[in-house]
Amino acid sequence: MADRKPKNKIVWIIAIAMALMLLLFAVLQFSAKRYVENLLNKKIPDHIHLVYDKIEVNLLTGSLLITDVTLDISNRNAGNEHTEMHLESISMEGFGYYNYILGNTIGADKIKLLNPKVRYYNDNTTNKITSDKPLETGTEKVFVLDHLEIEDGEIVNIQNETNTIKFTVENFNLSLENLQLDKETVTHKIPFSYGDYKLNTGKVYADLGPYEALSLSGTNIDKRVLQLSNLSLKSKYNKRTLSKKLDKEHDYIDLEIPKVRLVNMDFGFRAERFFLNTKSVVFQNPKMQIYRDKLVQDDYEQKKLYSQMLRELPIDLNISEVRIKDGYIAYSELVKTGTVPGEIVFSDLKASMSNVSNIYENEEKTEIMAKAKLMGEAPIELTWNFDSKEGNDPFFVSGVVTNFKSKSINQFLRSNLRAEAEGDVEELYFTLSGDAVSASGDMKMNYEDFRFTVLKKDRMGVNKLLTFVGNIFTNDGSKSDKMGYRYGEIYAERDKTKSFFNYLWLNVMDGMVNTLTGDGEKD
């Protein structure tokens, strides 16, 4: 009996201790929940309105769950609401008490945002927030998060004035590892550092302005490989409606690319400037149709050559290689009312571009090589390089066209040049070097029975006089060297209100005229 009393006493002590511990834990659990509620209800700035259903806190696991969350954010000064967000839940797991209490680190294993729906309203006053209080960027606390997950989100950007959608992303899913925010990173454009990430989305839509819109059926980023599915860049209106809305010339565009793939992609900010680096970009089976209504007022704004465009990009771009696989391009122009638009087609297009960069870490030029079939028949090759570092935009182009049947391009010639052609071009070679002002080069052709027919202004009949006079000066190909070639020179000055390809066309046309009408001898 004597031994039993001490044992009972020990049991009672243990039971009382456990009860006290449970009571203390319950008090701490309740206090923690009240602390979080007080923090959310009283510490959030006035321009942010937060509503939620319930809060669950578990001190043992260091977890937090907030359900049915609605967050409205207004402009601090103007008071107008610009962001609405609703989430099914916000959860946190593995809060680090030890480092928080004894150190300067606020950390957790995982934060998850479930089904966030974001609506952002563009407003001109949103970016004009002013405050007499200086921005506090320094902090001694370090925030560390092992894993951030956003599941099944949606983002919609709405233009406030017109109530039109400018940008949407459906089924937004993001996984981000090893986030850290400290007094150094908080001053950066992206205020935290991070490790590996994964991103995939459903449909993406972007309004690119008054005339075009871009859409994707989905995106996926994993291990720094980005894949875009079913990219579409199209005019918002059909050709006729677009022409009625224009006050100056603007192309109708219909571009579809089933797959775009970027490999070894890296992006971010260096100081205040955004950068994008990638080893390879591949466009699979792009199909583009461009239509220009020449009856609309010309656009006399000066156009930039591609080297200047690259040099003046607002971002740092460095792409080692760009490839186009099995592409198709059709360009058509309407020159006269009541006529069929003339069209030029390039099919089976394969192209590679190297050193597409404005970083200038090396002295390499941008090199382009392209092969296609002109009008679906004649093989055409183009080699082109330019140096975006140089202010005068120097470039070099060489091209080859073989087995070209001139009748295949007559639809374009009738519409655009009021002419038709007869005969075959077996081989055409040209080389061309120039800059932003002018270009020169040489050409050689091997052709048979090549002749022009000049049409009347209404394109309904032949202008016999001009056709006769023109063909007096056009050699049919019979007067050539022993290899069957005739030679010509090229010179053209650039019209700065036109594109680079207009510049290239002027040079090729000058070379053809010189080859056809000159003495045909090699200098």
Side-chain angles (χ1 to χ4, degrees), residues 2 24 41 151 154 301-303 310 394 427 442 507 510:
L24 177 62
N41 294 334
E151 182 178 328
E154 179 182 275
E301 184 176 326
Q302 290 198 358
K303 311 300 188 298
L310 186 59
E427 298 170 286
D442 50 62
N507 280 276
D510 182 82

Side-chain angles (χ1 to χ4, degrees), residues 307-320:
S307 50
Q308 184 181 357
M309 291 182 190
L310 186 59
R311 183 171 61 250
E312 296 180 358
L313 279 177
I315 68 171
D316 289 337
L317 182 68
N318 190 16
I319 304 175
S320 299

Side-chain angles (χ1 to χ4, degrees), residues 93-224:
E93 300 175 4
F95 180 77
Y97 297 108
Y98 180 82
N99 289 329
Y100 176 67
I101 296 172
L102 300 180
N104 68 336
T105 300
I106 303 172
D109 293 338
K110 180 179 178 181
I111 292 178
K112 181 177 179 179
L113 310 181
L114 180 59
N115 199 20
K117 308 294 184 184
V118 181
R119 300 287 184 275
Y120 176 77
Y121 298 88
N122 283 349
D123 190 286
N124 292 334
T125 61
T126 301
N127 297 322
K128 298 178 182 179
I129 298 174
T130 58
S131 175
D132 295 333
K133 184 178 179 180
L135 181 64
E136 295 180 5
T137 57
T139 176
E140 295 302 321
K141 290 290 184 180
V142 177
F143 177 76
V144 177
L145 179 63
D146 292 342
H147 183 78
L148 172 67
E149 183 176 345
I150 300 175
E151 182 178 328
D152 195 22
E154 179 182 275
I155 302 172
V156 179
N157 178 208
I158 299 173
Q159 182 67 44
N160 224 5
E161 296 178 355
T162 59
N163 198 33
T164 56
I165 294 176
K166 301 296 292 182
F167 179 75
T168 62
V169 181
E170 299 179 4
N171 303 116
F172 181 87
N173 296 277
L174 174 66
S175 175
L176 201 57
E177 308 288 340
N178 302 322
L179 283 84
Q180 179 168 318
L181 185 148
D182 53 38
K183 65 180 180 180
E184 180 180 348
T185 64
V186 77
T187 62
H188 299 166
K189 282 279 189 179
I190 300 177
F192 53 85
S193 61
Y194 57 92
D196 290 339
Y197 58 91
K198 294 182 181 179
L199 169 70
N200 64 79
T201 75
K203 293 180 180 179
V204 179
Y205 170 85
D207 187 326
L208 301 182
Y211 305 120
E212 288 87 32
L214 181 143
S215 64
L216 301 161
S217 67
T219 67
N220 184 75
I221 303 177
D222 189 7
K223 296 180 180 178
R224 301 192 182 277

Side-chain angles (χ1 to χ4, degrees), residues 45 52 67 77 94 128 138 160 164 166 204 273 284 314 324 326 344 355 370 429 447 463 496:
Y52 55 88
T67 61
N77 289 345
K128 298 178 182 179
N160 224 5
T164 56
K166 301 296 292 182
V204 179
R273 190 171 171 88
Q284 186 70 49
I324 298 174
D326 300 321
I344 293 182
N355 194 41
Y429 300 86
Y447 60 94
N463 188 319
K496 294 184 179 181

Side-chain angles (χ1 to χ4, degrees), residues 43-57:
K43 300 298 182 180
I44 291 180
D46 293 339
H47 67 285
I48 300 176
H49 181 62
L50 174 67
V51 178
Y52 55 88
D53 180 30
K54 63 179 180 178
I55 294 177
E56 296 179 6
V57 178

Side-chain angles (χ1 to χ4, degrees), residues 1 4 35 49 53 169 196 198 219 227 250-251 280 305 315 322 362 391 404 419 486 496:
M1 293 294 294
R4 187 176 297 178
Y35 175 79
H49 181 62
D53 180 30
V169 181
D196 290 339
K198 294 182 181 179
T219 67
Q227 182 165 304
H250 187 88
D251 290 343
S280 172
L305 297 181
I315 68 171
V322 178
N362 53 55
F404 176 62
R486 286 179 57 82
K496 294 184 179 181

Side-chain angles (χ1 to χ4, degrees), residues 256-299:
E256 294 182 348
I257 310 177
K259 184 188 296 185
V260 181
R261 183 178 173 88
L262 287 76
V263 177
N264 288 351
M265 183 183 67
D266 185 25
F267 62 90
F269 286 89
R270 295 188 184 97
E272 297 295 312
R273 190 171 171 88
F274 182 80
F275 72 86
L276 172 63
N277 301 331
T278 183
K279 181 179 179 181
S280 172
V281 181
V282 178
F283 298 94
Q284 186 70 49
N285 301 116
K287 182 178 181 180
M288 181 165 65
Q289 298 186 54
I290 303 173
Y291 166 81
R292 180 172 296 179
D293 187 345
K294 299 294 290 182
L295 301 177
V296 177
Q297 173 69 38
D298 285 342
D299 180 5

